[in-house]
């Protein structure tokens, strides 16, 4: 009599818990399937494991709530006296071990596949900086920085008055995208310049830490053209939340055309570094460079965030003498978040930023720094 | 009822100071336990307020309230305060109060050290919290203090490290005291395998503390010398290795997370038998499962850092070792359910929190098993999926167990019954809103939201709003807990010595409230008195 009672209740409880579980899965998001063979393996693995743990959870809760419904004092249920069963202990120790083996086998297979980064058709070096990424295409000899785009950067300031919903791909758009060809086995070499970052695009199926002094490896093979977005996943300071990653996967032809245009751009830049610039040209370019590279810490109006990030403009005038200012910008300042920009930016960008900071907030005309000066310093 | 006993004891201890001095100089395990518990509750509210700053900023996309630097200080401090200030002192407070009562000892083995263990803590937390008011601000690199980021901050890092050292000293002294008490001061007949499971889990926890707190001290000392004395342990440019820190930290950190949960297992193992009116199922296997979990905690640390780039063999080892933990943990959950099975259950507040613990901790355990799967971990790592996971095991795990323990033993401490109706409201309110708070975070993590970000892309808005609403409702609901305790201390229905009809164990043989001095004459313990009776032992 009691047994039937428990069985009926158990079935009812099972039904209720199943419905709740179904609801929990119906309203939520799941992991993206992704666009690489590896990400799809991970997606399958995730779903398998999730299904297994869900079934375990449902059965455990069914047993527990059946007991809660049936074995209660308010129904006059008399307590049993057993407190041990070797048979039960053996069963619920060994069955979980078997389930774990079932889980471990596919996990091991996918992991071994992921860890084999051989056979690369192209190599891209990724370097994390506070708070932007640098991409270097080792074969195609292209190199550029990729930072949060201007629209997001303006909208994300406290009191910006801009509704993030009005910004396209708020916080997930960059100025220069990582363009790669589809159906190509690409190896990534990851490192960092200052602190630990982590490069993560969910659609590629993995994240990997970028660590100063170390080079990590990972690979991908994107099967569909498209734009895939991610962001830094390791806390890297104040603007950790503002260093997105955008991968644009294109056909081989489009990729080749993109490489050609990048090369042309680099040639133009080399030419620019050598010629003499006017004050207005430098101020225009400097405003852009300053907003992209410096304003996060030193603030758009140069007022800084004391004491960590010093003000550049005091009483409307830039502080410090030009040579020391130049030295800090080129080589950074030890023990602070100020890194050297000498290797990060084009000479004309540094010259423009310096010219801008020495003129923008001052009544009087300040110094003009020419790209050629910086280029000389770089070589010396 | 208890007057006679108390008066009798006061003859022996007539020199007891009063007023502030009573608390400052106290060497009594009950008074020190009370101080630990009050301190813990205060820190729970401080850490909770920091969590509400975080959830308020994350209510909507865009930055509205705090700048990112302060946001990072909040995430860092919230974790440090909750782990070292709320959960650990609560367990030590419970151990102080209950371990001597449960094993029939008159006090802790080292009462003066006990006083010191507690009184270090307010100073440690003053040092830690005052960094928020320093020019360079509080620590902002996450509670793990990963270099090189943690080395970029200002001089406040030195205060944080000193505070961590003090907390470590306090924990180690507390652990030594608990081990010395349990091993030396058990009443005649209280053999190791007759001890209540709460005592067992604390004995094992204390060994974990002694093993790993010095490791944390070493790690943060290396940070200190790197930052202020020119060493390069973790500085790649000087030949150091940033990943070395992570290995050392997590060698401490993983046993630490079991320090935060094993006493909770003990509490639940006391409460479920009481309200099921049935002895704990599989007592001996519970003890062995606890010891196995403690052992395994030392060989799984690198599962916190699968993405740093480890050799394949190392990843496989740490994956398998981590998965194995599911076996002894599963044994515990099955044993609790077998204890309920065909019992005669009633659902007073401590039992409700214990049952809530079993369900919600299981959810956290299952997501933990998912996190062990390395290829999938490459997706889950450092996302809100992880945040959801560890809040399920820490809030609905450790914190629910602590609240269950408080309701369970409060009548013994105060001599009054708490308000059962309010207790039940507190349970249901907490359980509903804590799930609204943390369950959507699973979805956010799977959808791609990293943890420790002050602002997010707009597709994450809905679940963040739901989570924030849950956070505020859960958070303010805890003021009810404070009120219930205050009300119970002030008065209420008188509790008898037994308090709970189904409870077993020595703590229920002394009057309620427990007089300041108990078991001056040790009780005799045999199987009829023992809490647990495993047919094997």
């Amino acid at each position: 009599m009691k047994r039937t009672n428990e069985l009926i209740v158990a079935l009812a409880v099972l039904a209720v818990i199943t419905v709740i579980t179904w609801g929990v899965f119906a309203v939520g998001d799941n992991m993206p399937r992704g666009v690489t063979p590896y990400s799809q393996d991970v997606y399958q693995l995730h779903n398998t494991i999730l299904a297994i743990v869900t079934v375990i959870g449902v059965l455990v809760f069914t047993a527990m709530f059946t007991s809660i419904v049936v074995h209660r004092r308010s129904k006059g249920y008399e307590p049993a006296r057993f407190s041990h069963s070797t048979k039960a202990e053996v069963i619920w120790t060994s069955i979980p071990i078997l389930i774990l083996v079932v889980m471990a086998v596919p996990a091991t297979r996918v992991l071994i596949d992921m860890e084999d980064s051989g056979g690369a058709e192209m190599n891209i070096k990724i370097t994390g900086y506070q708070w932007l990424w640098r991409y270097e295409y080792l074969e195609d000899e292209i190199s550029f920085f990729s930072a949060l785009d201007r629209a997001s950067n303006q909208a994300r300031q406290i009191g910006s008055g801009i509704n993030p919903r009005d910004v396209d791909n708020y916080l997930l758009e960059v100025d220069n995208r990582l363009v790669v060809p589809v159906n190509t086995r690409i190896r990534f070499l990851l490192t960092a310049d200052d602190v630990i970052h982590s490069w993560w695009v969910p659609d590629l199926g993995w994240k990997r830490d970028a660590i100063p002094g170390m080079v990590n490896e990972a690979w991908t093979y994107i099967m569909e053209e498209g734009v895939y977005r991610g962001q830094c996943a390791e806390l890297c300071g104040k603007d950790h939340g503002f260093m997105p990653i955008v991968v644009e996967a294109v056909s081989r032809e489009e990729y080749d055309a993109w490489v050609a245009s990048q090369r042309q751009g680099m040639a133009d830049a080399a030419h620019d570094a050598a010629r003499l610039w006017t004050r207005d040209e430098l101020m225009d370019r400097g405003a852009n460079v300053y907003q992209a590279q410096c304003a996060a810490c030193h603030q758009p109006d140069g007022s800084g965030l004391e004491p960590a990030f010093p003000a550049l403009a005091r009483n409307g005038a830039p502080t410090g003498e030009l040579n020391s200012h130049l030295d800090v910008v080129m080589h950074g300042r030890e023990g602070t978040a100020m890194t050297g920009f000498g290797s990060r930016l084009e000479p004309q960008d540094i010259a423009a930023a310096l010219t801008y900071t020495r003129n923008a907030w001052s009544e009087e005309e300040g110094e003009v720094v020419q790209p050629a000066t910086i280029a000389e310093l770089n070589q010396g | 009822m208890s007057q006679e006993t108390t008066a009798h004891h006061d003859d022996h201890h007539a020199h007891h100071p009063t007023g502030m001095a009573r608390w400052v100089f106290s060497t009594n395990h009950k008074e020190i336990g009370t101080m630990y518990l009050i301190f813990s509750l205060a820190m729970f509210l401080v850490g909770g307020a920091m969590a509400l700053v975080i959830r308020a900023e994350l209510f909507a996309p865009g930055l509205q309230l705090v700048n990112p630097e302060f946001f990072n200080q909040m995430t860092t401090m919230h974790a440090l305060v909750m782990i070292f200030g709320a959960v650990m002192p609560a367990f030590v407070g419970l151990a102080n109060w209950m371990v001597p009562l449960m094993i029939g000892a008159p006090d802790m083995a080292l009462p003066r050290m006990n006083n010191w263990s507690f009184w270090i803590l307010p100073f440690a937390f003053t040092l830690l919290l005052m960094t928020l008011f320093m020019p360079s601000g509080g620590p902002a690199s996450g509670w793990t203090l990963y270099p090189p980021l943690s080395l970029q901050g200002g001089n406040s890092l030195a205060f944080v490290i000193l505070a961590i050292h003090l907390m470590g000293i306090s924990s180690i002294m507390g652990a030594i005291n608990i081990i010395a008490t349990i091993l030396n001061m058990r009443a005649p007949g209280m053999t190791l395998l007759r001890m209540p499971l709460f005592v067992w889990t604390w004995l094992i926890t204390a060994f974990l503390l002694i093993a790993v707190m010095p490791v944390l001290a070493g790690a943060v000392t290396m940070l200190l010398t790197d930052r202020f004395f020119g060493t390069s342990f973790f500085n790649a440019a000087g030949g150091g290795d940033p990943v070395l820190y992570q290995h050392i930290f997590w060698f401490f950190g993983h046993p630490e997370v079991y320090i935060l949960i094993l006493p909770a297992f003990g509490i639940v193992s006391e409460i479920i038998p009481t309200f099921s009116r049935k002895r704990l199922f599989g007592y001996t296997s519970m003890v062995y499962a606890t010891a196995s979990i403690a052992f395994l905690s030392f060989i799984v640390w690198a599962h916190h850092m699968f993405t740093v780039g480890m050799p394949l063999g190392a990843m496989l080892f740490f994956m398998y070792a981590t998965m194995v933990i599911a076996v002894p943990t599963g044994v515990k959950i099955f044993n609790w359910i077998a204890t309920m099975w065909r019992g005669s259950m009633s659902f007073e507040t401590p039992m409700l929190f214990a049952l809530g613990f079993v369900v919600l901790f299981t959810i956290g355990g299952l997501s933990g098993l998912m996190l062990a799967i390395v290829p999938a971990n490459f997706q889950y790592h450092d996302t809100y999926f992880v945040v959801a996971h560890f809040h399920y095991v820490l809030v609905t795990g450790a914190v629910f167990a602590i609240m269950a323990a408080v309701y369970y033993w409060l009548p013994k401490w105060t001599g009054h019954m708490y308000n059962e109706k309010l207790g039940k409201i507190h349970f249901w309110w907490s359980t509903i809103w804590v799930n609204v708070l943390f369950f959507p975070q699973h979805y956010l993590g799977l959808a791609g939201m990293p943890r420790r970000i002050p602002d997010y892309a707009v597709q994450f808005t809905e679940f963040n709003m739901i989570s924030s609403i849950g956070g505020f409702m859960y958070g303010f609901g805890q003021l009810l807990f404070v009120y219930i305790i205050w009300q119970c201390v002030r008065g209420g229905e008188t509790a008898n010595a037994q308090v709970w009809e189904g409870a077993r164990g020595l703590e229920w043989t002394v009057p309620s409230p427990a007089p300041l001095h108990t078991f001056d004459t040790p009780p005799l313990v045999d199987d009829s008195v023992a809490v647990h009776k495993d047919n094997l032992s």
Side-chain angles (χ1 to χ4, degrees):
Chain A
M1 185 66 205
K2 221 170 256 169
R3 265 210 119 61
T4 347
N5 196 359
E6 275 160 7
L7 192 64
I8 292 169
V9 171
L11 289 173
V13 168
L14 180 65
V16 171
I17 293 178
T18 307
V19 169
I20 293 172
T21 309
W22 176 83
V24 160
F25 280 103
V27 300
D29 293 328
N30 199 4
M31 182 187 282
R33 196 160 181 274
V35 290
T36 70
Y38 176 75
S39 75
Q40 294 178 359
D41 282 351
V42 168
Y43 176 72
Q44 294 295 343
L45 184 62
H46 159 77
N47 283 341
T48 307
I49 305 283
L50 185 57
I52 293 173
V53 301
T54 304
V55 170
I56 295 172
V58 167
L59 293 179
V60 167
F61 297 151
T62 300
M64 182 171 161
F65 282 98
T66 301
S67 184
I68 287 174
V69 170
V70 180
H71 308 133
R72 43 170 72 212
R73 191 181 53 160
S74 57
K75 288 193 175 173
Y77 200 94
E78 286 295 317
R81 300 186 63 84
F82 67 89
S83 69
H84 187 83
S85 159
T86 309
K87 205 164 95 186
E89 300 278 359
V90 169
I91 290 172
W92 64 49
T93 308
S94 47
I95 290 181
I97 293 176
L98 292 178
I99 297 174
L100 290 178
V101 171
V102 169
M103 292 161 85
V105 170
T108 305
R109 186 185 56 75
V110 176
L111 183 63
I112 289 174
D113 183 38
M114 170 65 194
E115 287 303 297
D116 173 15
S117 58
E121 295 166 72
M122 65 183 279
N123 293 279
I124 297 175
K125 185 182 168 199
I126 300 175
T127 311
Y129 294 83
Q130 285 173 316
W131 292 277
L132 70 173
W133 299 96
R134 180 182 204 171
Y135 300 114
E136 292 166 86
Y137 294 64
L138 300 185
E139 287 81 11
D140 292 315
E141 296 183 332
I142 297 168
S143 153
F144 57 86
F145 287 87
S146 178
L148 184 67
D149 75 317
R150 186 83 81 83
S152 292
N153 200 29
Q154 282 167 348
R156 70 143 174 131
Q157 307 296 333
I158 289 191
S160 67
I162 303 170
N163 185 344
R165 289 174 186 81
D166 299 337
V167 179
D168 285 343
N169 296 306
Y170 176 63
L171 298 187
L172 292 179
E173 187 55 275
V174 292
D175 50 3
N176 302 306
R177 292 173 171 183
L178 177 68
V179 179
V180 292
V182 291
N183 299 326
T184 306
R185 197 170 158 94
I186 304 167
R187 187 170 69 133
F188 296 104
L189 300 165
L190 299 108
T191 188
D193 183 66
D194 34 44
V195 301
I196 301 173
H197 303 268
S198 189
W199 198 84
W200 181 35
V201 177
D203 279 319
L204 304 191
W206 49 264
K207 66 177 69 66
R208 187 56 53 100
D209 291 356
I211 302 168
M214 271 180 66
V215 178
N216 265 329
E217 271 185 340
W219 66 273
T220 197
Y221 182 94
I222 301 175
M223 299 184 296
E224 285 170 41
E225 290 181 30
V227 177
Y228 308 111
R229 299 170 195 278
Q231 53 193 120
C232 179
E234 179 67 52
L235 178 61
C236 58
K238 160 174 104 58
D239 284 353
H240 163 55
F242 309 101
M243 52 183 291
I245 297 154
V246 181
V247 176
E248 191 176 342
V250 297
S251 67
R252 178 46 79 168
E253 298 74 45
E254 283 173 87
Y255 175 73
D256 289 339
W258 177 82
V259 169
S261 74
Q262 290 292 308
R263 289 240 173 90
Q264 186 57 48
M266 287 164 72
D268 293 347
H271 171 75
D272 276 351
R275 74 180 171 84
L276 208 61
W277 288 52
T278 68
R279 176 183 292 268
D280 288 346
E281 277 181 314
L282 285 167
M283 286 298 284
D284 275 354
R285 190 180 183 114
N288 287 330
V289 176
Y290 182 83
Q291 295 305 332
Q293 304 286 344
C294 321
C297 296
H298 296 291
Q299 301 302 292
D301 60 354
S303 59
L305 282 173
E306 300 282 4
F309 309 112
L312 299 179
R314 276 213 189 84
N315 306 323
T319 52
E321 179 255 341
L322 177 62
N323 278 339
S324 65
H325 187 177
L326 183 59
D327 183 59
V328 171
V329 171
M330 293 292 284
H331 303 115
R333 183 165 279 176
E334 191 113 4
T336 70
M338 179 71 189
T339 52
F341 287 84
S343 59
R344 277 165 68 162
L345 298 181
E346 302 287 351
Q348 52 271 41
D349 287 334
I350 295 178
L354 275 163
T355 307
Y356 178 77
T357 45
R358 299 195 76 82
N359 288 276
W361 309 297
S362 161
E363 299 286 310
E364 298 151 36
E365 245 176 35
E367 300 98 328
V368 169
V369 183
Q370 283 297 338
T373 321
I374 308 292
E376 253 171 56
L377 276 176
N378 267 347
Q379 276 146 25
Chain B
M1 179 190 67
S2 65
Q3 293 305 330
E4 271 176 3
T5 336
T6 320
H8 166 75
H9 285 299
D10 276 357
D11 291 342
H12 294 282
H13 306 274
H15 55 278
H16 202 81
T18 52
M20 267 308 283
R22 172 184 170 191
W23 299 101
V24 175
F25 301 121
S26 176
T27 54
N28 181 288
H29 73 103
K30 299 186 183 79
E31 288 176 344
I32 293 172
T34 301
M35 289 194 288
Y36 264 113
L37 289 167
I38 292 170
F39 178 80
S40 155
L41 184 58
M43 286 298 124
F44 180 63
L45 299 177
V46 170
M50 291 171 177
L52 293 187
V53 172
I54 295 168
R55 282 314 328 166
E57 179 55 61
L58 291 175
F59 182 75
L63 289 175
Q64 292 85 20
L65 303 170
V66 295
N67 61 44
E69 184 68 18
F70 188 71
F71 183 91
N72 291 345
Q73 293 177 26
M74 286 292 103
T75 56
T76 306
M77 286 294 221
H78 163 70
L80 289 171
V81 168
M82 285 302 200
I83 292 169
F84 294 103
V87 174
M88 288 172 72
F91 283 138
V92 181
L94 292 170
N96 252 295
W97 248 105
M98 301 319 298
V99 165
L101 286 181
M102 288 174 135
I103 62 171
D107 204 309
M108 296 293 279
L110 308 160
R112 284 165 203 271
M113 197 165 88
N114 203 13
N115 171 290
W116 201 26
S117 306
F118 171 75
W119 277 108
I120 284 177
L121 282 181
F123 295 94
F125 279 87
T126 306
L127 276 177
L128 180 67
L129 292 170
M130 70 193 269
T131 60
L132 287 174
F133 304 98
M134 290 179 181
S136 57
S141 53
W143 81 281
T144 53
L145 301 175
Y146 278 5
L149 182 63
S150 59
L151 302 174
Q152 276 186 350
N155 294 338
S156 66
L157 182 69
F159 290 79
V160 175
I161 289 172
L162 185 58
I164 290 174
H165 277 148
L166 289 175
M167 295 167 204
I169 292 169
S170 163
S171 292
I172 290 169
M173 290 197 304
I176 290 172
N177 214 340
I178 286 166
I179 292 173
T181 307
I182 295 173
L183 294 186
N184 294 309
M185 298 190 52
R186 296 193 310 280
M190 179 60 85
T191 57
L192 285 176
L193 282 174
R194 274 187 187 141
M195 295 197 308
L197 214 66
F198 179 68
V199 180
W200 256 114
T201 52
W202 240 118
L203 179 64
I204 292 167
T205 303
F207 277 104
L208 289 183
L209 276 168
I210 291 181
V212 301
M213 292 311 287
V215 178
L216 174 66
V220 296
T221 305
M222 285 192 265
L223 280 186
L224 187 78
T225 60
D226 267 13
R227 174 69 178 79
F228 297 102
F229 301 105
T231 57
S232 292
F233 291 112
F234 310 127
N235 174 6
D241 179 0
V243 178
L244 173 66
Y245 176 86
Q246 299 187 18
H247 283 287
I248 302 172
F249 182 87
W250 287 113
F251 187 82
F252 145 79
H254 201 77
E256 168 70 18
V257 304
Y258 291 140
I259 288 165
L260 300 172
I261 202 65
L262 292 184
F265 290 167
I267 290 164
V268 170
S269 304
E270 300 304 323
I271 291 174
I272 289 178
T274 293
F275 296 96
S276 304
R277 292 164 184 79
K278 193 159 154 276
R279 288 184 193 265
L280 183 71
F281 185 90
Y283 169 83
T284 321
S285 70
M286 286 299 232
V287 172
Y288 288 128
T290 310
S292 314
I293 293 172
F295 167 74
L296 289 169
S297 75
F298 285 104
I299 56 167
V300 297
W301 76 87
H303 72 216
H304 294 270
M305 38 190 287
F306 279 137
T307 61
V308 298
M310 266 184 278
L312 176 64
M315 283 196 278
L316 289 174
F317 170 80
F318 285 110
M319 172 166 75
Y320 300 150
T322 305
M323 292 170 78
V324 169
I325 296 181
V327 176
T329 314
V331 165
K332 285 190 159 293
I333 288 164
F334 300 142
N335 281 350
W336 288 324
I337 294 174
T339 305
M340 297 174 215
W341 193 258
R342 295 176 56 203
S344 176
M345 275 189 271
S346 58
F347 303 92
E348 289 84 350
T349 311
M351 181 64 161
L352 289 176
F353 271 99
L355 295 177
F357 169 95
V358 175
V359 172
L360 300 172
F361 177 82
T362 301
I363 293 176
L366 292 173
S367 64
L369 188 51
M370 295 174 71
L371 281 158
I373 307 296
V374 182
N377 181 283
F378 289 155
Q379 289 277 42
Y380 308 138
H381 179 74
D382 264 341
T383 68
Y384 262 82
F385 190 80
V386 177
V387 176
H389 158 72
F390 67 70
H391 281 98
Y392 264 87
V393 291
L394 280 176
V395 179
T396 60
V399 174
F400 265 41
I402 290 166
M403 286 175 173
V406 169
Y407 284 113
Y408 187 51
W409 285 312
L410 202 52
K412 179 58 62 189
W413 301 334
T414 63
H416 307 126
M417 296 306 289
Y418 59 88
N419 184 331
E420 188 64 53
K421 197 172 168 192
L422 286 184
K424 283 184 172 148
I425 292 173
H426 175 223
F427 167 76
W428 287 108
W429 182 275
S430 297
T431 302
I432 290 167
W433 291 113
V434 85
N435 282 292
V436 174
L437 164 58
F438 293 121
F439 208 87
Q441 296 183 357
H442 290 112
Y443 305 141
L444 286 170
L446 292 177
M449 180 169 162
R451 62 192 283 207
R452 293 166 167 168
I453 56 174
D455 191 6
Y456 48 82
V458 291
Q459 69 260 37
F460 303 130
T461 308
E462 284 73 20
F463 285 127
N464 269 299
M465 277 188 178
I466 293 169
S467 180
S468 288
I469 291 169
F472 274 86
M473 300 303 268
Y474 173 76
F476 284 109
Q478 302 319 306
L479 297 177
L480 180 60
F481 182 53
V482 179
Y483 173 73
I484 292 169
I485 294 171
W486 183 76
Q487 197 191 35
C488 181
V489 171
R490 302 257 307 183
E493 192 194 325
T494 310
N496 61 17
Q498 178 63 26
V499 183
W500 310 110
E501 129 201 17
R504 290 172 208 269
L506 291 176
E507 79 261 41
W508 309 109
T509 64
V510 302
S512 305
L516 206 53
H517 298 282
T518 39
F519 297 127
D520 280 356
T521 318
L524 273 174
V525 180
D526 57 26
D527 269 340
S528 65
V529 187
V531 185
H532 307 295
K533 193 172 152 208
D534 194 325
N535 295 342
L536 264 191
S537 60

